[in-house]
Amino acid sequence: MTGGTNVKVVVMGEAGTGKSSLIYSVANESFPENVHHVMPPTRLPAEYYPDRVPLTIIDTSSRPENKAKLIADCKSADAIVLTYACDRPATLDRLRTYWLPELRRLEVKVPVIVVGCKLDLRDEQQVSLEQVMSPIMQQYREIETCIECSALRQIQVQEVFYYAQKAVLHPTAPLFDQETQSLKPRCVRALKRIFILCDHDRDGALSDEELNDFQVRCFNAPLQQSEIAGVKKVVQEKLAEGVNERGLTLTGFLFLHALFIEKGRLETTWTVLRKFGYDNDIKLRSELLQTNYKRAPDQTVELTNEAVEFLKGIFLMFDIDGDGALRPAELDDLFSTAPESPWMVAPYKDAAEKNVLGGLAIEGFLSEWALMTLQDPAASLAYLIYIGYTGDPTSALQITRRRRLDRKKQQTQRNVFQCFVFGPRNAGKTTLLNSFIGKSFSEKYIPTTSERFAANVVELHNGVKKTLVMREIPEIEVKNILSNKESLAACDVAVFVHDSSDEESWKRTKELLVQVASHGENTGFEVPCLIISAKDDLDSYPMAIHDSTRVSQDMGIDTPIPVSMKLRDHNDVFCRIVSAAQQPHLSIPETEAGKSRKQYRRLVNRSLMFVSVGAAVAVVGLAAYRVYAARKNTSG
């Protein structure tokens, strides 16, 4: 609820339009004999209006010397009441030419209530409020409503601030498009999810019993049978397909809410949305998404088996044609109860393998979920709930064991591994990722300027399946990544790709390997590393095998893996990447500086051990001497 436990309304407009009189009148239910130039903050108690939320009214001055305070008040407002005088048409014109543009310039994005004060002085021959305001409201969509009032005659004074409070607590903008006179897409998606949750027998309609359950849940009051019949009759008269023999259809349910909004009963739709956990942006409230798990930088989040089984069931449910893949239209239908489809933008767009029709098979579908859970656990949980997961939120996600502990135990229990892909320009990084998700080889080189992800399921030789997420790091981003102490904490394995036909490509790859290895040694987030010699179909530069083999041996990692994506010779590279990630204590490169530090620590530890042994011998010798001396004294 915007405004929390209090709604703040700021009243502004031209001097002499009746701002202060309006505020005094609503607070005291009388017209002031003498009114302050600017009223002090005025509070209406919670019981003043039906929503039972207190309201604070802030008066303002339009004098130039008070502009700084006016701006500060505007920026802290939940709603703006913008006044003009009914007997002074020029003040209305000033709303259009100055006040409304000024609010936009200040980027004040709250509902605006336009109020014509001094209605008792209005010339009856003036054009109607609707005629005057209609073009202004078309231009300034932030205007929630317009109303005329008289503080002197106590005409519609209370209604002014009722509409202001209502605009904050039950805003129109997220729900309804005034231009098209229809529900907004996000509102439709939320109401569709609510409809499905209430359709317990999944027959596509709300029966009388289901309608009654819905009414009790949202409004704490049952419907009489005659009332249910009345609701369905209203829908059927306007929309034949809104009701069928089983009850109220989704079309009818949406029509009812559009009708409520058109009639000004926005609180009805907002009550429904809030009962089902939605906030003012029509997204699930953050407190419903229990993802505030405390975790170390080298811990990740994965889906539990329970969540994976739920997703497998959802996949089958929405695979309407039974072809084993979710086509784009089927995927859109699956996410039609979420605020939007999450995989239309980076890093998820084109991150998984698709068939020729653009469909996601089950492994590609689960890989996208694994990637989203790895990148944004809160979003992953939210979308699970949006598409129908009703289990305990804490049962959907699990935190992995720390990588540091995995290295110590020389094994890992993870099901999802993240691989950082380093390499110079035109080394073959993008081609490697494309091959991983089944994209055809292309000779055309397009430089990668931002991070890119590819995710897929890898079946190992023992039949075990793991999900691998490959993250391409552009060369220009390496410096930024290594400037962060914890940057390698998220990495299970790093691969370094070089063009085996280009000596300069190899030299740069070797430099990157040393930089990453040094960063791991300095921060304690060492990672297994592999070298990939790409473009194996081309002639290698002289000494290529010798150079790369020598470096890998010196640093204590496996010899480079030759691959040719053009010839589709993968050399089992993806299995080898996962196998390296599964053995976090192996394939960790050592730099010369790292070796020196390790040798120094060994010498220090050895010296300390000798000192400890020497001290122990001395203590034992002293104890023996004392025993000998005591015996000698006794015998004497």
Side-chain angles (χ1 to χ4, degrees):
M1 190 180 291
T2 301
T5 57
N6 178 63
V7 172
K8 182 179 180 180
V9 178
V10 173
V11 182
M12 55 192 290
E14 289 293 293
T17 53
K19 301 187 294 293
S20 301
S21 296
L22 174 64
I23 296 170
Y24 182 94
S25 183
V26 74
N28 299 282
E29 297 184 5
S30 64
F31 187 75
E33 292 291 334
N34 296 297
V35 69
H36 299 299
H37 169 66
V38 175
M39 289 282 290
T42 302
R43 185 177 173 88
L44 301 183
E47 57 272 16
Y48 200 94
Y49 290 123
D51 284 302
R52 301 191 64 79
V53 175
L55 187 146
T56 300
I57 306 170
I58 306 297
D59 196 5
T60 61
S61 169
S62 58
R63 292 174 179 172
E65 61 267 27
N66 296 321
K67 187 164 184 178
K69 185 176 187 311
L70 174 67
I71 291 172
D73 287 334
C74 284
K75 295 205 169 190
S76 66
D78 295 316
I80 300 287
V81 166
L82 201 50
T83 63
Y84 68 93
C86 291
D87 62 334
R88 291 163 56 198
T91 59
L92 176 57
D93 191 52
R94 280 281 287 172
L95 294 189
R96 180 179 57 81
T97 59
Y98 174 74
W99 290 102
L100 289 164
E102 180 69 1
L103 286 174
R104 283 193 175 178
R105 188 187 70 80
L106 296 172
E107 298 183 346
V108 177
K109 297 178 181 178
V110 297
V112 175
I113 312 298
V114 173
V115 179
C117 298
K118 308 183 183 182
L119 177 60
D120 52 291
L121 300 178
R122 190 178 191 274
D123 185 348
E124 290 302 322
Q125 293 184 346
Q126 288 178 2
V127 293
S128 69
L129 178 65
E130 185 177 351
Q131 288 176 297
V132 173
M133 289 304 304
S134 183
I136 299 176
M137 291 182 73
Q138 287 290 327
Q139 184 180 357
Y140 295 96
R141 295 288 180 183
E142 55 267 40
I143 299 176
E144 192 78 16
T145 191
C146 304
I147 185 174
E148 292 179 327
C149 70
S150 170
L152 178 66
R153 307 292 184 199
Q154 286 291 299
I155 299 172
Q156 297 201 126
V157 171
Q158 293 182 352
E159 284 82 348
V160 168
F161 296 99
Y162 171 70
Y163 285 131
Q165 188 188 68
K166 188 177 177 182
V168 176
L169 302 181
H170 315 298
T172 303
L175 304 183
F176 201 72
D177 189 323
Q178 298 283 7
E179 194 167 332
T180 62
Q181 289 292 292
S182 61
L183 296 173
K184 286 192 172 178
R186 189 174 284 186
C187 178
V188 171
R189 288 166 169 262
L191 291 174
K192 181 178 179 181
R193 173 177 171 263
I194 291 167
F195 178 90
I196 291 170
L197 290 174
C198 295
D199 180 19
H200 303 304
D201 56 12
R202 297 291 189 268
D203 65 350
L206 297 183
S207 64
D208 291 0
E209 184 179 351
E210 289 167 338
L211 266 176
N212 197 49
D213 289 344
F214 166 80
Q215 176 74 13
V216 170
R217 175 170 179 174
C218 293
F219 304 101
N220 301 317
L223 283 169
Q224 300 298 319
Q225 192 60 41
S226 59
E227 292 173 313
I228 294 175
V231 168
K232 292 196 290 188
K233 183 180 179 183
V234 168
V235 173
Q236 203 158 27
E237 285 176 353
K238 299 286 186 180
L239 202 68
E241 64 270 28
V243 178
N244 61 24
E245 66 278 3
R246 295 187 298 276
L248 185 71
T249 65
L250 174 61
T251 305
F253 186 72
L254 295 174
F255 168 79
L256 268 180
H257 283 280
L259 188 63
F260 292 145
I261 293 167
E262 286 176 13
K263 299 290 186 185
R265 292 176 54 192
L266 288 94
E267 63 272 16
T268 302
T269 301
W270 275 117
T271 298
V272 171
L273 291 169
R274 285 170 180 146
K275 284 289 183 180
F276 281 85
Y278 288 91
D279 61 16
N280 273 18
D281 293 322
I282 316 188
K283 290 186 174 182
L284 289 175
R285 295 193 302 273
S286 56
E287 63 264 26
L288 299 177
L289 309 174
Q290 300 176 25
T291 58
N292 296 323
Y293 305 116
K294 289 184 178 179
R295 53 191 171 105
D298 58 347
Q299 289 180 292
T300 57
V301 182
E302 296 180 2
L303 294 169
T304 62
N305 289 335
E306 182 179 331
V308 170
E309 290 304 313
F310 164 77
L311 289 171
K312 288 178 179 178
I314 285 289
F315 181 92
L316 293 173
M317 184 187 302
F318 283 87
D319 182 17
I320 306 300
D321 54 11
D323 65 347
L326 293 182
R327 293 178 288 107
E330 292 170 331
L331 201 59
D332 286 344
D333 192 26
L334 186 152
F335 285 117
S336 65
T337 52
E340 53 269 318
S341 185
W343 299 342
M344 299 301 291
V345 295
Y348 313 113
K349 187 177 182 180
D350 299 327
E353 185 169 0
K354 295 179 181 177
N355 62 24
V356 291
L357 298 176
L360 276 175
I362 183 65
E363 289 188 341
F365 178 70
L366 293 176
S367 295
E368 286 277 25
W369 278 101
L371 171 58
M372 185 158 65
T373 307
L374 188 70
Q375 290 294 110
D376 191 346
S380 183
L381 178 57
Y383 278 96
L384 279 170
I385 296 172
Y386 286 133
I387 66 173
Y389 184 79
T390 56
D392 183 347
T394 58
S395 68
L397 305 179
Q398 61 187 0
I399 297 177
T400 60
R401 190 168 65 189
R402 294 194 64 174
R403 287 188 182 87
R404 189 169 293 175
L405 188 56
D406 282 347
R407 281 203 304 274
K408 187 175 181 181
K409 291 182 175 290
Q410 300 186 1
Q411 62 178 350
T412 181
Q413 300 168 330
R414 296 180 186 222
N415 296 307
V416 180
F417 298 108
Q418 181 167 203
C419 170
F420 284 17
V421 182
F422 295 96
R425 287 166 54 90
N426 203 18
K429 302 187 297 296
T430 299
T431 305
L432 180 70
L433 265 69
N434 286 343
S435 175
F436 183 50
I437 55 176
K439 288 190 174 183
S440 56
F441 176 82
S442 173
E443 295 278 6
K444 187 177 180 181
Y445 171 60
I446 301 174
T448 302
T449 56
S450 59
E451 288 187 342
R452 185 192 155 209
F453 290 80
N456 212 340
V457 173
V458 177
E459 184 171 354
L460 302 176
H461 300 302
N462 58 3
V464 173
K465 292 183 178 181
K466 300 289 183 181
T467 301
L468 177 62
V469 173
M470 301 193 74
R471 176 180 173 185
E472 181 181 354
I473 312 292
E475 187 180 7
I476 57 175
E477 289 295 321
V478 173
K479 185 177 180 180
N480 289 337
I481 284 183
L482 297 185
S483 66
N484 178 2
K485 179 183 176 182
E486 298 174 349
S487 58
L488 294 181
C491 180
D492 291 289
V493 58
V495 300
F496 296 82
V497 183
H498 72 99
D499 179 349
S500 60
S501 69
D502 184 346
E503 186 174 2
E504 290 303 315
S505 178
W506 162 246
K507 287 179 179 178
R508 179 60 183 139
T509 300
K510 182 172 65 173
E511 290 173 2
L512 291 171
L513 174 58
V514 172
Q515 287 175 24
V516 171
S518 299
H519 187 74
E521 289 171 343
N522 294 333
T523 61
F525 295 116
E526 300 101 328
V527 296
C529 294
L530 298 175
I531 301 172
I532 296 178
S533 297
K535 306 183 185 182
D536 194 44
D537 52 286
L538 302 179
D539 292 334
S540 300
Y541 74 87
M543 299 293 288
I545 296 175
H546 175 269
D547 288 350
S548 57
T549 302
R550 180 181 55 78
V551 169
S552 60
Q553 287 176 345
D554 287 348
M555 299 189 77
I557 60 176
D558 290 346
T559 55
I561 306 168
V563 299
S564 171
M565 298 308 163
K566 183 177 181 178
L567 301 179
R568 297 185 180 180
D569 180 10
H570 297 170
N571 201 1
D572 213 16
V573 66
F574 303 116
C575 279
R576 292 166 79 167
I577 291 172
V578 172
S579 296
Q582 283 188 306
Q583 302 178 80
H585 60 297
L586 301 178
S587 303
I588 295 176
E590 280 189 301
T591 64
E592 289 302 321
K595 289 177 183 176
S596 298
R597 280 196 297 269
K598 186 179 288 186
Q599 188 173 7
Y600 175 73
R601 283 197 295 269
R602 284 174 182 164
L603 286 172
V604 170
N605 290 338
R606 192 174 300 164
S607 299
L608 290 174
M609 185 180 69
F610 285 143
V611 169
S612 298
V613 170
V617 169
V619 169
V620 170
L622 180 62
Y625 173 76
R626 285 177 176 172
V627 170
Y628 167 75
R631 287 178 178 174
K632 188 175 181 181
N633 290 335
T634 302
S635 61

